[in-house]
Amino acid sequence: MTRKSGDAGRSTIRDVAARAGVSASTVSRVLGGDYPVSTATRTRVLRAVREMDYVADARAKAVAGAGTPTLAFVLEDITGPSFAHMAHGVEREAARLGHLCLVCGTDGEVRHELEFVEMTRAQRAAAVILVGGAADTPEYRERTRRIADSLASAGSRLVLCGRPPLGPGAPVTVIEYDNEGGAYALVAHVLAQGHRRVLFLGGKPDHTTAQGRERGYLAAHRARGVETDPELLLHGDFTRDSGHRLMREALRRGLEFTAVVAATDMVAAGALTALHEAGLDVPGDVSLAGYDDIPFARDLYPALTTVHVPYEELGRLAVRTALGHTADSADEHLLLGTHVVVRDSVASPAGSADTADTADR
């Protein structure tokens, strides 16, 4: 049995050095990877590390400035499928580049967001990535600008993913996807099937992501000369329960519609359940479309027509661009594309001729 010394019986760097027959400084060089060491010596040290189950003291490494560089990923809802895929992209790219990824869910609390950013700044995180829409107010811009300046002064970088930009001169990177354009293309596809009364299940009215998707809905109607009925625009949030509640409300109120466009796939999933509960067939009685193209969208019955957002690539790009900038470099704005994924949940209205416009495919 291997004897361990040090606090709580843990092996120390001196124990590893004794086992490998080298100095403690040589062990440190091998583990740090920042100093040339012969292959034979490296092999002996790493074997001793494994045999003694040695774990470096992260606090000591941080004090010495030699710890694993970190990135912080801050989002409102860690359980959201789209955010989870973005987090996966961030984590994979960070790992590829030798960085540790710290994830924080704020539950929409600004205080939690600020506390986490300050903590990561104190730990000298290489970048902080803030994800998801927000209310675009003067208070938001002022608060986020202070965060960007504070991080830049500490040699870090703020990245806004799907959040409103701050204006010229801010030391930030803004990475977005074509949110409004995706909604426009989706609603245009639905209208091309012959639908003229399209119910929109949106998000919070002051949420920038929700606003962009609603603008796309309205713009598609204008482009095709179709008048919109304000009663067909309902607002909730981006959850499954919101979709279920809004759909039941629309049916209870007797609103007339032949198609439903939901602000997210999760909202669409709740709406689909409510339609089934009401004995309505999709797409036979009502067509349904979502937004995000999260994996289970293809496994719903029927498979969901939706907008594909490259969430994982957004996460990877956020890491690459953040690490490729100096902390005080000027703002940069990057935009990724979206596209409609046509599946089985949208068809021509019941009793109408097939007017599907294959150009939207």
Side-chain angles (χ1 to χ4, degrees):
M1 180 177 179
T2 301
R3 181 181 66 82
K4 295 182 180 181
S5 61
D7 294 343
R10 294 187 306 174
S11 297
T12 69
I13 194 168
R14 291 184 177 83
D15 297 326
V16 174
R19 172 65 68 92
V22 298
S23 67
S25 60
T26 297
V27 175
S28 179
R29 290 167 183 165
V30 170
L31 296 180
D34 56 357
Y35 194 88
V37 178
S38 71
T39 301
T41 298
R42 181 179 301 276
T43 299
R44 291 205 311 276
V45 169
L46 295 180
R47 182 185 302 118
V49 167
R50 289 193 301 270
E51 291 174 349
M52 305 194 75
D53 194 25
Y54 172 71
V55 178
D57 189 332
R59 291 170 300 176
K61 292 180 72 176
V63 170
T68 302
T70 59
L71 290 165
F73 181 72
V74 186
L75 67 166
E76 178 177 333
D77 180 11
I78 200 170
T79 66
S82 56
F83 287 153
H85 282 275
M86 190 181 296
H88 184 257
V90 169
E91 191 279 328
R92 292 298 296 272
E93 192 67 12
R96 187 182 72 83
L97 297 174
H99 284 61
L100 179 67
C101 183
L102 305 178
V103 179
C104 172
T106 67
D107 294 324
E109 292 286 342
V110 173
R111 176 174 57 85
H112 292 163
E113 180 178 290
L114 294 175
E115 289 172 350
F116 187 74
V117 169
E118 183 57 32
M119 181 186 72
T120 56
R121 177 178 177 271
Q123 294 183 348
R124 298 185 179 276
V128 175
I129 302 170
L130 298 184
V131 178
D136 191 6
T137 63
E139 291 77 16
Y140 159 80
R141 289 174 178 264
E142 180 182 356
R143 181 180 69 247
T144 309
R145 178 62 183 255
R146 287 200 305 269
I147 290 174
D149 290 338
S150 176
L151 290 171
S153 68
S156 185
R157 180 77 177 181
L158 179 64
V159 181
L160 303 177
C161 247
R163 285 204 174 193
L166 303 181
V172 299
T173 295
V174 178
I175 301 178
E176 294 187 289
Y177 55 89
D178 192 2
N179 184 39
E180 182 176 337
Y184 176 95
L186 178 66
V187 177
H189 169 70
V190 172
L191 294 174
Q193 311 312 302
H195 297 279
R196 292 299 177 264
R197 292 189 61 81
V198 181
L199 179 67
F200 183 74
L201 305 182
K204 298 176 182 178
D206 65 345
H207 191 277
T208 52
T209 302
Q211 290 171 349
R213 294 179 187 184
E214 186 170 320
R215 285 196 302 269
Y217 166 90
L218 295 172
H221 280 77
R222 288 195 300 270
R224 290 187 175 265
V226 179
E227 186 175 353
T228 55
D229 183 347
E231 286 199 342
L232 295 183
L233 276 74
L234 303 183
H235 298 99
D237 56 39
F238 283 172
T239 65
R240 177 267 176 203
D241 288 346
S242 178
H244 187 260
R245 174 178 55 81
L246 292 176
M247 191 72 256
R248 291 186 64 180
E249 177 186 335
L251 294 172
R252 178 184 57 79
R253 290 169 55 187
L255 296 179
E256 295 183 7
F257 54 89
T258 60
V260 180
V261 170
T264 71
D265 292 344
M266 294 297 292
V267 173
L272 181 62
T273 299
L275 289 167
H276 286 165
E277 290 171 347
L280 296 173
D281 178 70
V282 177
D285 297 314
V286 179
S287 287
L288 176 66
Y291 201 117
D292 286 334
D293 194 25
I294 58 180
F296 83 72
R298 72 192 71 173
D299 296 320
L300 293 175
Y301 185 77
L304 187 66
T305 291
T306 184
V307 175
H308 178 77
V309 179
Y311 284 113
E312 184 166 336
E313 177 55 27
L314 277 167
R316 290 181 178 273
L317 184 61
V319 173
R320 291 196 299 270
T321 54
L323 298 182
H325 278 79
T326 59
D328 60 350
S329 55
D331 61 302
E332 181 177 21
H333 200 143
L334 306 176
L335 181 69
L336 296 184
T338 55
H339 64 268
V340 176
V341 179
V342 178
R343 298 195 178 104
D344 301 329
S345 63
V346 174
S348 299
S352 70
D354 183 5
T355 59
D357 183 355
T358 57
D360 287 316
R361 298 174 184 263

